[in-house]
């Protein structure tokens, strides 16, 4: 791509569409860097250049739609299945150079990689409406990127995720997610990985899942509301077998997860009869924890009632303790009452 950014296409079929013109490169590189929070003991990422990024364009100006004559986009082809490209406004870049310490705060290079994953050439839709096979392909793409970024490029932690809904600041409607590769393991991921290294917490949790929390099952995977959910209607998916991440799933497990994912999103959308804003995060093993980690796909919804959004307010921000007004058992019962095959 212009400026040397990488574009990768993934698909079931051969890609035989001619290359069209692409968007020009960004004129200036972001002066992104990390600063150390000495009290919390974790990195904060600064990426000022991100303020210039595209904000809610019309469908006609969508940069994620396929390119057409006279219309430039991020993906210079008239059609594609799933496209992955390096973000034009990255918070982390490979081989980023450091900046001097500022105001007594230690800094570090924002080394990493930020990718955009476009789920479909179609501007409209999402994980609840795409065919199961496309979701299976997406799970394979997550796995392929984790292999490339963690196992081959040597990044410490890779997070595939999707932010969905204007309510939580999504700037583009076209169905897409992102992947961040970090040169360090973020504190939260490290905690989760260490807990699983000490004991197979998640594997046991799935084996002994109470019926009231179980949402849906497939041969090789389950979906459930965790009994310790921090968000109302929080929904997790996991393979039954302990698998470190999507890169290690068997085809049957991928298919089971794809079916569950589609139905989980449709349940969330059906709950209040409108698209649910959510954050989806794929939790896969950080580098070095592959032998003990059990992967999950976690959906954190941001609507707690038909017209009420969940905000992280005083207690959450001030202490890290989450207040939840829907008990997980009740959330699971309400989600189970939604027919995922009914039109969302
Ligand atoms: Zn679009």
């Amino acid at each position: 791509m212009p400026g040397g950014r990488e574009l990768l296409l993934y698909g079931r079929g051969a890609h035989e569409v001619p290359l069209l013109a692409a968007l020009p490169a960004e004129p200036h590189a972001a002066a992104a860097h990390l600063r150390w929070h000495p009290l919390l003991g974790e990195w904060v990422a600064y990426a000022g250049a991100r303020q210039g990024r595209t904000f809610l364009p019309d469908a006609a100006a969508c940069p994620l739609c396929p390119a057409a004559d006279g219309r430039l986009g991020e993906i210079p082809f008239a059609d594609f299945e799933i496209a992955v490209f390096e973000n034009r406004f990255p918070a982390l870049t490979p081989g980023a150079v450091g900046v001097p310490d500022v105001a007594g705060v230690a800094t570090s290079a924002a080394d990493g990689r930020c990718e955009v994953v476009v789920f479909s050439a179609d501007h409209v839709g999402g994980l609840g409406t795409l065919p199961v096979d496309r979701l299976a392909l997406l799970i394979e793409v997550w796995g392929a990127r984790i292999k490339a970024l963690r196992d081959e490029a040597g990044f410490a932690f890779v997070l595939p995720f999707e932010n969905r809904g204007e309510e939580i600041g999504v700037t583009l409607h076209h169905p897409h997610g992102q992947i961040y590769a970090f040169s360090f393991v973020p504190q939260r991921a490290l905690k989760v990985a260490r807990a699983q290294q000490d004991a197979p917490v998640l594997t046991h949790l799935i084996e002994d899942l109470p019926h009231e929390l179980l949402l849906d099952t497939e041969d090789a995977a389950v979906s459930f509301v965790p009994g310790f959910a921090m968000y109302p209607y929080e929904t997790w998916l996991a393979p039954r077998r302990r698998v470190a991440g999507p890169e290690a799933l068997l085809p049957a497990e991928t298919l089971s997860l794809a079916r569950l994912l589609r139905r989980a999103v449709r349940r969330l959308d059906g709950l209040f009869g409108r698209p649910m804003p959510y954050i989806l995060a794929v939790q896969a093993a950080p580098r070095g924890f592959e032998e003990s980690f059990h992967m999950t796909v976690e959906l954190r919804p941001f609507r707690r009632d038909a017209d009420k959004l969940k905000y992280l307010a005083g207690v959450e921000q001030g202490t890290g303790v989450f207040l939840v007004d829907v008990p997980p058992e009740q959330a699971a019962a309400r989600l189970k009452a939604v027919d995922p095959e009914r039109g969302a």
Side-chain angles (χ1 to χ4, degrees):
M1 299 287 285
R5 285 186 302 136
E6 200 171 16
L7 167 72
L8 301 149
L9 299 175
Y10 294 86
R12 300 290 189 217
H15 182 75
E16 287 161 349
V17 188
L19 178 70
L20 304 170
L23 280 173
E26 278 301 299
H28 54 87
H33 62 281
L34 306 176
R35 296 188 190 188
W36 184 248
H37 193 306
L39 299 171
L40 292 179
E42 56 195 33
W43 290 109
V44 183
Y46 293 81
R50 287 173 56 80
Q51 292 297 349
R53 65 198 197 274
T54 321
F55 185 75
L56 295 175
D58 297 343
C62 173
L64 305 185
C65 271
D69 282 340
R71 196 188 154 286
L72 299 180
E74 290 278 8
I75 304 146
F77 295 100
D79 197 18
F80 58 87
E81 292 177 57
I82 290 184
V84 175
F85 59 86
E86 287 181 86
N87 199 317
R88 287 160 70 79
F89 307 98
L92 307 167
T93 46
V97 281
V99 300
D101 290 357
V102 265
V105 175
T107 64
S108 179
D111 184 31
R113 181 157 146 142
C114 296
E115 298 181 341
V116 177
V117 183
V118 185
F119 302 159
S120 156
D122 195 342
H123 184 75
V124 181
L127 299 183
T129 56
L130 286 167
V132 166
D133 183 58
R134 180 58 60 87
L135 300 193
L137 178 62
L138 175 62
I139 295 168
E140 289 170 44
V141 168
W142 289 335
R145 299 314 300 147
I146 289 173
K147 253 189 205 159
L149 295 165
R150 186 193 62 197
D151 303 344
E152 289 159 29
F155 288 113
F157 181 68
V158 179
L159 178 76
F161 64 97
E162 180 196 7
N163 297 331
R164 191 236 216 174
E166 272 176 54
E167 294 89 341
I168 53 166
V170 169
T171 52
L172 295 174
H173 285 304
H174 195 113
H176 74 288
Q178 302 180 60
I179 295 175
Y180 271 39
F182 295 83
S183 57
F184 59 94
V185 184
Q187 282 299 330
R188 189 182 180 285
L190 196 57
K191 256 186 168 171
V192 169
R194 283 188 176 147
Q196 298 203 50
Q197 199 175 44
D198 291 346
V201 186
L202 203 95
T203 311
H204 287 166
L205 187 92
I206 290 165
E207 283 166 3
D208 304 330
L209 208 57
H211 182 74
E212 54 183 353
L213 294 175
L214 189 67
L215 284 180
D216 202 348
T217 60
E218 281 285 338
D219 291 346
V222 293
S223 73
F224 58 99
V225 176
F228 44 85
M230 297 163 88
Y231 286 78
Y233 309 106
E234 186 170 326
T235 300
W236 288 21
L237 323 179
R240 293 179 193 269
R241 186 175 66 100
R242 189 199 65 73
V243 181
E247 74 288 357
L249 290 168
L250 300 171
E253 290 166 332
T254 300
L255 184 61
S256 285
L257 284 170
R259 289 180 173 146
L260 292 175
L261 178 57
R262 186 170 191 277
R263 296 203 293 263
V265 172
R266 293 179 76 87
R267 276 204 172 84
L268 290 171
D269 287 348
L271 190 62
F272 301 121
R274 54 198 292 198
M276 176 67 90
Y278 66 72
I279 290 172
L280 174 152
V282 180
Q283 297 293 345
R287 199 173 163 78
F289 289 90
E290 295 87 344
E291 297 306 311
S292 53
F293 201 90
H294 195 139
M295 71 163 284
T296 49
V297 178
E298 303 174 1
L299 289 145
R300 295 192 170 78
F302 275 72
R303 200 186 296 291
R304 59 189 174 89
D305 211 333
D307 47 12
K308 290 196 193 91
L309 292 179
K310 164 78 185 168
Y311 288 101
L312 299 189
V315 177
E316 284 92 346
Q317 297 282 1
T319 67
V321 175
F322 277 64
L323 302 182
V324 191
D325 30 28
V326 187
E329 301 74 25
Q330 230 176 69
R334 288 183 196 160
L335 285 169
K336 269 193 270 196
V338 178
D339 176 2
E341 299 313 329
R342 268 193 45 203

